[in-house]
């Protein structure tokens, strides 16, 4: 059995999250860094307003390339390709107008009231949850096309973590670009990745 | 090894499970041997499992290496371990070691941001190529009271067993997205495999739910908490309704005092699934650990996602202003004399096709930038030795050298075009 085991050795990580994060960040930076350099070189030929859009486009594209395989990633790519370099690829922000979650009371006999109240609570809560899920759908790129809520929630997981990583990368790029200049070797990628993420 | 030996190992293994906690390596032995076991000897289809609930409690003892073994399945860190019901989608969401199919291989635990996993060595998940999942799963564990027709699902499992006998050496991919299977992106892929579920899922789901919005008036969901299952005990159940006679559907038992309308049942199943998923989200979103309650948590999540998006947008604008001062050593970043890495390049099938020494051919930049980098952006070859060494810090075991990325091996090494 041992011999067979060796042949079928699986590779698994004791720190899967770190690996994922590192891969994401490496891919992301690998896409974004050259793009940014190019933007920098061509800066004179682009109008000021457009630079931001261009950068935004690149940022989003980097996101797409770093996170292949998700529905939202493909949706984002399609959206970017459709819109091209102009137009914001940002998702519109909506106010999340869920009021405070309090439930109204009713005047009934106590026993029935409690039952009816619970029922109403649950119904209301379910409706609130449905509204929230709809909100989330609009937030995620391509959320409208996802058929079922459960799948959408699972897409949400990946989206949130990729957003977190993207934000970390961008913030370190913007606020301490020297770090990236120095860290050009691969091992430095890990250092950067390690400092970026918990 | 003959099939009989494997069978006997299995039987023996059954007893082991029943009595004590097995550690993962021995289970993995069984797992490996099980892949050759013919279907009718398989763990799951075996009639040795008289009571599926027992099997579930045993599954929990598996996960006990770093978890407290519970009788209360609801208290499980996130989800149930459907030892009997294979849920391949589970492998991406469960926090516990999964034994959805011991015929599967030890698998990297896919999870997002869930720190509790860093010490877990591996998990079992089911593995087949994308699409060959058990049809009755909706990518989701089914609470114990939904157990009624496990044997009926055995036919589907038989189908599954045939698939799992493929043993893949590379880091195994679950997702059926069609991308490079050798990618180490399993965690993410695991999530995505739900998309392959949807054809199956919808087929069943349509039978069960009509309008997901309707909640029948008669529903008195007095207790919403999940049921605590003791082995051998069935859920309190007033009515047998909800047990569809068809095999491919999820069988739901009505809880006590709850409506047995098919609408509300389907509705309830759906909501439970969503709650399960949201537990994972809870760990991702900071500060959500203490919140109990779906609506409040969803609120938090929505706000968090919005704020993240806003931050990204703000940062990208900042980046645009900072851009002139950026000075990447792009040449070094994309150094061409570095050996290709064995890992990570295959993400999404991004084979470094372009080999120019400049990241983007200058021809693509004429005038305006609307023709911005085409999708054939290459990913740089990365220093293999350093990568290996660094990766080995992350990986518990050494590399298996048969990753699918090896086809990018020395033959594929890029030569700079000048």
């Amino acid at each position: 059995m041992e011999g067979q085991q060796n042949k079928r050795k699986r590779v698994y990580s004791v720190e899967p999250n770190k690996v994922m994060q590192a891969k994401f960040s490496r891919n992301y930076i690998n896409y974004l860094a050259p793009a940014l350099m190019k933007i920098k070189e061509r800066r004179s030929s682009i109008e000021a307003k457009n630079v931001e859009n261009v950068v935004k486009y690149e940022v989003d594209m980097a996101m797409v390339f770093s996170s292949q395989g998700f529905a939202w990633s493909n949706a984002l790519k399609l959206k970017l390709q459709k819109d091209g370099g102009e137009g914001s690829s940002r998702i519109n922000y909506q106010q999340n107008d869920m009021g405070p979650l309090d439930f109204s009371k009713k005047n009934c006999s106590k026993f029935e009231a409690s039952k009816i109240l619970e029922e109403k609570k649950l119904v209301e809560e379910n409706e609130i949850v449905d509204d929230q899920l709809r909100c989330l759908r609009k937030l995620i790129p391509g959320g409208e096309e996802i058929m079922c809520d459960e799948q959408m929630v699972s897409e949400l997981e990946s989206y949130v973590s990729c957003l977190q990583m993207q934000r970390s990368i961008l913030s370190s790029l913007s606020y301490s670009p020297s770090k990236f200049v120095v860290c050009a070797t691969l091992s430095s990628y890990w250092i950067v990745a390690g400092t970026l993420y918990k | 090894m003959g099939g009989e030996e494997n069978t006997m190992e299995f039987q023996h293994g059954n007893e082991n499970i029943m009595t004590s906690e097995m550690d993962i390596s021995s289970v993995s032995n069984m797992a490996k041997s099980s892949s050759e076991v013919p279907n009718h000897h398989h763990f799951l289809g075996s009639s040795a499992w008289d009571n599926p609930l027992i099997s579930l409690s045993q599954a929990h003892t598996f996960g006990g290496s770093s978890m407290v073994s519970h009788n209360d399945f609801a208290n499980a860190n996130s989800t149930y371990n459907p030892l009997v019901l294979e849920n391949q989608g589970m492998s991406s969401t469960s926090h516990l070691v999964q034994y959805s199919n011991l015929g599967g291989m030890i698998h990297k635990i896919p999870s997002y941001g869930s720190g509790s996993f860093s010490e877990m060595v591996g998990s079992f998940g089911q593995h087949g190529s994308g699409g060959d999942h058990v049809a009755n799963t909706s990518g989701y564990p089914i609470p114990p009271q939904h157990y009624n027709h496990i044997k009926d699902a055995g036919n589907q499992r038989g189908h599954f067993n045939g698939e799992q006998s493929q043993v893949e050496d590379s880091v195994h991919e679950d997702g059926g997205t069609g991308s490079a299977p050798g990618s180490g992106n399993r965690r993410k892929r695991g999530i995505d495999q739900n998309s392959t579920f949807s054809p199956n899922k919808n087929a069943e789901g349509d039978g069960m739910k009509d309008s997901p919005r309707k909640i029948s008036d008669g529903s008195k969901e007095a207790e919403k908490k999940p049921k605590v299952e003791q082995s051998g005990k069935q859920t309190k159940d007033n009515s047998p309704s909800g047990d569809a006679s068809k095999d491919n559907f999820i069988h739901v038992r009505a809880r006590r005092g709850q409506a047995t309308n098919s609408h509300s049942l389907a509705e309830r199943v759906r909501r439970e699934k969503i709650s399960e998923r949201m537990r994972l989200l809870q760990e991702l979103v900071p500060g959500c650990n203490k919140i109990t309650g779906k609506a409040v948590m969803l609120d938090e999540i929505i706000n968090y996602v919005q704020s993240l998006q806003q931050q990204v947008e703000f940062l990208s604008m900042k980046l645009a202003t900072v851009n002139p001062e950026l000075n990447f050593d792009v040449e070094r970043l994309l150094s061409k004399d570095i050996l290709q890495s064995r890992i990570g390049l295959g993400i999404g099938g991004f084979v470094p096709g372009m080999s120019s020494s400049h990241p983007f051919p200058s021809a693509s930049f004429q005038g305006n930038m609307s023709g911005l980098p085409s999708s054939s952006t290459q990913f740089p070859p990365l220093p293999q030795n350093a990568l290996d060494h660094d990766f080995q810090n992350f990986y518990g075991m050494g590399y298996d050298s048969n990753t699918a990325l090896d086809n990018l091996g020395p033959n594929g090494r890029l030569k700079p075009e000048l």
Side-chain angles (χ1 to χ4, degrees):
Chain A
M1 264 315 164
E2 279 304 320
Q4 273 194 0
Q5 248 182 341
N6 286 337
K7 279 187 196 161
R8 297 174 183 178
K9 192 158 57 173
R10 308 291 297 176
V11 175
Y12 56 88
S13 164
V14 293
E15 283 185 314
N17 292 339
K18 289 277 173 61
V19 177
M20 287 312 311
Q21 289 165 353
K23 265 190 268 196
F24 179 93
S25 50
R26 190 195 64 210
N27 291 333
Y28 195 89
I29 294 173
N30 283 339
Y31 183 93
L32 195 57
L36 286 177
M37 294 307 290
K38 278 295 173 187
I39 293 177
K40 173 176 153 186
E41 291 170 18
R42 309 278 163 161
R43 205 179 175 99
S44 53
S45 60
I46 320 166
E47 311 91 48
K49 198 168 63 147
N50 228 6
V51 173
E52 287 182 359
N53 288 339
V54 165
V55 170
K56 217 183 288 186
Y57 177 93
E58 285 305 326
V59 161
D60 290 337
M61 265 320 231
M63 175 78 143
V64 166
F65 287 139
S66 315
S67 57
Q68 295 286 322
F70 294 110
W72 58 262
S73 161
N74 294 331
L76 187 57
K77 181 156 94 174
L78 288 175
K79 195 190 299 188
L80 287 178
Q81 284 167 352
K82 195 175 57 165
D83 290 345
E86 342 79 36
S88 172
S89 57
R90 283 286 152 234
I91 298 125
N92 292 328
Y93 304 117
Q94 338 177 324
Q95 288 308 314
N96 188 17
D97 34 72
M98 308 286 152
L101 301 171
D102 53 3
F103 306 101
S104 59
K105 300 201 161 96
K106 291 242 164 199
N107 300 328
C108 300
S109 79
K110 250 191 184 176
F111 180 71
E112 290 170 358
S114 63
K115 289 235 168 173
I116 294 179
L117 186 57
E118 281 187 40
E119 212 175 294
K120 285 230 172 267
K121 272 190 208 172
L122 290 164
V123 168
E124 277 186 37
E125 179 171 3
N126 282 334
E127 287 170 358
I128 292 177
V129 167
D130 287 340
D131 285 338
Q132 288 173 329
L133 289 174
R134 253 182 292 140
C135 247
L136 277 176
R137 241 174 229 270
K138 295 184 194 151
L139 282 180
I140 302 179
E144 279 89 7
E145 288 111 33
I146 299 179
M147 284 303 121
C148 74
D149 278 338
E150 182 199 336
Q151 188 182 0
M152 181 196 67
V153 175
S154 62
E155 292 285 325
L156 190 64
E157 296 166 12
S158 61
Y159 185 59
V160 164
S161 57
C162 285
L163 267 185
Q164 286 171 337
M165 293 193 267
Q166 186 185 31
R167 176 194 60 178
S168 307
I169 296 176
L170 286 177
S171 82
S172 60
L173 269 179
S174 316
Y175 288 107
S176 50
S178 53
K179 203 186 276 188
F180 279 89
V181 173
V182 170
C183 301
T185 63
L186 178 64
S187 49
S188 305
Y189 271 118
W190 300 112
I191 299 173
V192 170
T195 55
L196 287 179
Y197 311 122
K198 318 179 197 60
Chain B
M1 28 216 74
E4 293 150 45
E5 292 170 358
N6 289 339
T7 312
M8 289 188 34
E9 259 186 66
F10 256 111
Q11 299 300 331
H12 180 64
N14 287 351
E15 270 115 15
N16 279 347
I17 292 172
M18 290 185 192
T19 53
S20 65
E21 263 185 57
M22 298 178 65
D23 71 313
I24 293 180
S25 57
S26 59
V27 175
S28 74
N29 282 339
M30 290 168 45
K32 299 227 159 76
S33 60
S34 74
S35 63
E36 297 146 52
V37 173
N39 292 348
H40 60 279
H41 282 303
H42 195 270
F43 231 33
L44 303 158
S46 160
S47 56
W49 291 112
D50 295 331
N51 191 347
L53 296 176
I54 290 182
S55 72
L56 194 66
S57 67
Q58 287 151 5
H60 265 269
T61 67
F62 280 146
S65 58
S66 59
M67 305 276 190
V68 178
S69 67
H70 330 273
N71 286 329
D72 181 4
F73 297 123
N75 278 346
N77 199 1
S78 67
T79 60
Y80 304 110
N81 282 331
L83 173 67
V84 186
L85 299 175
E86 294 130 14
N87 284 314
Q88 188 156 1
M90 274 313 304
S91 66
S92 63
T93 58
S94 167
H95 283 214
L96 295 174
V97 175
Q98 290 201 42
Y99 294 81
S100 44
N101 190 341
L102 286 188
M105 291 300 148
I106 298 179
H107 198 73
K108 186 167 85 170
I109 298 177
S111 63
Y112 270 94
S114 57
S116 64
F117 275 97
S118 52
E119 59 269 9
M120 291 281 253
V121 174
S123 73
F124 293 102
Q126 357 181 12
H127 305 293
S129 358
D132 49 340
H133 312 301
V134 178
N136 83 334
T137 70
S138 308
Y140 218 69
I142 299 178
Q145 65 260 29
H146 300 162
Y147 257 100
N148 305 322
H149 296 263
I150 291 155
K151 294 199 183 137
D152 292 334
N155 53 351
Q156 298 153 356
R157 216 165 284 117
H159 148 75
F160 179 87
N161 290 341
E163 296 297 338
Q164 74 191 1
S165 58
Q166 314 167 9
V167 175
E168 295 202 9
D169 292 346
S170 61
V171 168
H172 201 84
E173 284 308 314
D174 296 325
T177 58
S179 320
S183 148
N185 229 346
R186 197 189 306 115
R187 185 180 75 176
K188 292 183 177 174
R189 292 292 166 74
I191 304 267
D192 194 41
Q193 65 202 354
N194 281 327
S195 60
T196 65
F197 274 139
S198 34
N200 289 336
K201 190 177 2 185
N202 287 339
E204 313 154 12
D206 288 345
M208 285 210 66
K209 48 176 158 179
D210 308 333
S211 58
R213 301 229 149 239
K214 271 204 289 182
I215 300 179
S216 83
D217 300 342
S219 81
K220 292 177 271 178
E221 290 180 300
E223 56 271 353
K224 255 199 151 187
K225 59 187 183 297
K227 289 301 173 191
V228 174
E229 280 299 321
Q230 301 295 330
S231 47
K233 220 190 277 186
Q234 294 292 327
T235 2
K236 301 174 282 215
D237 182 38
N238 300 351
S239 63
S241 81
D243 295 350
S245 55
K246 299 180 190 143
D247 286 346
N248 292 338
F249 289 85
I250 302 167
H251 298 287
V252 181
R253 277 234 165 116
R255 295 197 197 128
R256 181 187 188 125
Q258 289 177 343
T260 57
N261 194 357
S262 68
H263 292 228
S264 60
L265 276 176
E267 187 65 21
R268 191 156 43 87
V269 166
R270 188 174 142 262
R271 296 214 179 271
E272 281 169 7
K273 289 182 201 169
I274 294 180
S275 316
E276 290 292 333
R277 295 276 172 176
M278 276 168 34
R279 288 192 218 177
L280 265 182
L281 275 177
Q282 229 177 356
E283 307 201 1
L284 269 183
V285 178
C288 262
N289 292 329
K290 301 144 198 133
I291 298 178
T292 53
K294 249 198 315 194
V296 179
M297 207 181 71
L298 272 179
D299 222 11
E300 280 294 317
I301 292 174
I302 291 176
N303 290 335
Y304 186 65
V305 169
Q306 281 178 346
S307 80
L308 276 182
Q309 287 172 341
Q310 281 170 340
Q311 285 175 23
V312 167
E313 176 163 8
F314 166 76
L315 283 173
S316 76
M317 275 198 259
K318 180 120 199 324
L319 195 57
T321 63
V322 161
N323 203 12
E325 294 113 38
L326 286 177
N327 194 13
F328 292 109
D329 196 353
V330 174
E331 284 294 327
R332 275 179 83 191
L333 278 180
L334 309 177
S335 173
K336 46 200 179 294
D337 56 332
I338 299 175
L339 293 178
Q340 288 185 353
S341 105
R342 294 196 294 186
I343 298 174
L345 281 184
I347 295 180
F350 263 101
V351 179
M354 301 180 57
S355 57
S356 77
S357 56
H358 294 284
F360 304 109
S362 51
S364 71
F365 286 94
Q366 313 274 347
N368 65 354
M369 301 267 285
S370 58
L372 265 178
S374 60
S375 56
S376 60
T377 302
Q378 83 268 29
F379 286 106
L382 294 163
Q384 194 176 33
N385 300 334
L387 185 57
D388 275 357
H389 174 69
D390 287 334
F391 266 118
Q392 275 177 6
N393 292 336
F394 288 147
Y395 283 101
M397 295 166 68
Y399 280 122
D400 189 279
S401 57
N402 289 335
T403 65
L405 296 172
D406 264 0
N407 53 11
L408 302 176
N411 291 338
R413 185 195 308 192
L414 300 183
K415 300 245 178 219
E417 286 172 2
L418 296 174

